[in-house]
Amino acid sequence: MARSGYTVVDVDAHYLEPVDDLTDFMQDPWKTIIESSGSSAFIPKNVGDRSMGGRIVRDALPSYFASKVIGAGRMGPEDVKTIHRRIGLSASIMVANWVLGLAETSQREAGIAYYNAYIDYMLERVTDPDRGIYTMPILSWQEPQESAALLERVGDHPAVVGACFSTSSANPPLGDEIYNPVYEVAERKGLPVVFHGATGGTLRSRGSYAEGVQRMIEAHLLGFSITNLIQITSVMLRGVPERFPGLKFVFMESGLFWVPMAMYRMDEYFLKRRSEAPLLKALPSEYIRDRFYFGTQPLESPKNPKHLQAVMEMIGYDNILFASDYPHFDYDEPSAISGLPFLTSEQKRAILGENAIRVFDLAAPAQPAWLRADEDPELAAQVDAGVLREE
Amino acid sequence: MADHIVAREGDIPERGRKLVNLEGRPIGVFNVGGRYFALHNRCAHQRGPLCEGILFPRHSATVDANRRTVEFLDHDNPVLCCPWHGWEYDLESGRCLADETRGVRTYPVRVDGGEVIVSIEA
């Protein structure tokens, strides 16, 4: 497996949490409810098949596509290190997988039970800051007080590096003042707020932005990007950056091309209707340059690389964070960045790792054994044979 | 131009494949319907192991007299799908079905004297 040769920090690596086992970290009533009914009764399933009928395969995590049942694809803590080797990562911020769908269901009490159990499971069994394995609590937009309490409870843990809203279908959108309790805790604890959407087009949904589309090609395309557009517009124009001057904002999983549209469209509207966003002291695009950051995945690949270069320049090379989104069907290899002909080495280093280290205030990752192995064929053989364990 | 014997006729079964490395190039050799195809084993997208992917029926569509979409699956004329992200390739041309301007190199394959031979031209 070719390595990029750079220190790679993955800001959106998905952990396939064992949803039915999360009941070990729950109390009644939800512990007994979920043990007896199973997670498929509560976590919405999307229309469509991510594996494209088996065309797409995840050799490092074969269970992910092996079953069509919610939560059947699962990982254990050792799988994170397998994925670090597989993708070529020095560190990753793990994001939940199955429970993200709870943003789109009215079963918000189930959501609170799962979100609490998820972070407790991760902190007890999976995370390891010394090995670059971090995570964030997943926060419910439907229960801001509960989410603030959850963030207060876990936000000081060394493995917790951000506060992640599961944003899909959030109503009102996340700029509203009812979400102040969450932003207050995040700002006080120095945690960036991460906005992570979902597919839309669920089989049992309260109203996702992608309702009515027939297939996942539309639902996935729209669900993430429309969600991000709505949330960034609301967060910006309701003045969250001014209400909480210490916060940084990170948006994941809809590529990069939507960002210039958001920037310049918000600027145009602000110039004409400024008094409707009276807290802002500068153009929205200036706030974006200052405190907003964007995961790269799924990175668009226009045939003319100058188009991608222009978009990256509009956003700012310091504001772009490599994300793999492994094991999802549309994940990116680090080569999606390191292979770009127009980037300098400095820009590649920034996007692949240095920006994330700065934004999430991570310790510089130790160079893992497999990375050193690339420079030493004997070491490489030992790592591949499983003889040499990572230190 | 160099000829490389990659298999004996019959070694690669119907819908089967053999992965080889010829002159430093990773190549997949396929047998579909008794015809052989050889493609460069690096997807045009992010250099994934294309030739390890599945053969899937070719999915196409037309418009009927009522302007409704009618979809077809051609099981006899499959496409090769990269396992990383599902990019679909025509075995004969090596072109990506979603974008004909992208594709992978194909190599001439012939059967001669009971041997399956891949040619690599300079």
Side-chain angles (χ1 to χ4, degrees), chain A residues 63-108:
Chain A
S63 71
Y64 177 50
F65 287 135
S67 169
K68 317 305 178 195
V69 176
I70 289 280
R74 50 193 290 154
M75 286 170 63
E78 288 307 302
D79 290 313
V80 179
K81 297 180 198 127
T82 301
I83 288 169
H84 279 204
R85 282 198 65 215
R86 162 68 184 77
I87 306 292
L89 305 177
S90 295
S92 59
I93 303 176
M94 310 307 298
V95 179
N97 190 80
W98 310 108
V99 302
L100 288 174
L102 287 159
E104 296 180 349
T105 172
S106 54
Q107 305 204 58
R108 62 190 193 276

Side-chain angles (χ1 to χ4, degrees), chain A residues 317 337 342-352 355:
Chain A
Y317 292 105
I337 297 296
F342 56 82
L343 291 178
T344 65
S345 299
E346 288 78 14
Q347 288 162 347
K348 291 178 188 179
R349 274 203 301 276
I351 294 171
L352 284 170
N355 289 343

Side-chain angles (χ1 to χ4, degrees), chain A residues 57-58 215 301 331-333, chain B residues 46 71 83-85 101-102:
Chain A
V57 172
R58 291 290 170 256
R215 300 194 187 177
S301 50
Y331 86 98
D332 277 335
E333 292 276 323
Chain B
Q46 291 180 1
E71 299 180 55
W84 280 10
H85 307 96
T101 70
R102 289 176 169 138

Side-chain angles (χ1 to χ4, degrees), chain A residues 2 50 66-67 100 106 149-150 173 182 193 203 232 280 336 373 386:
Chain A
R50 281 169 171 74
S67 169
L100 288 174
S106 54
L150 171 51
V182 178
V193 180
L203 293 177
I232 203 172
L280 297 185

Side-chain angles (χ1 to χ4, degrees), chain B residues 101-117:
Chain B
T101 70
R102 289 176 169 138
V104 297
R105 181 166 171 180
T106 59
Y107 301 89
V109 193
R110 70 180 192 278
V111 178
D112 194 348
E115 291 170 335
V116 180
I117 300 164

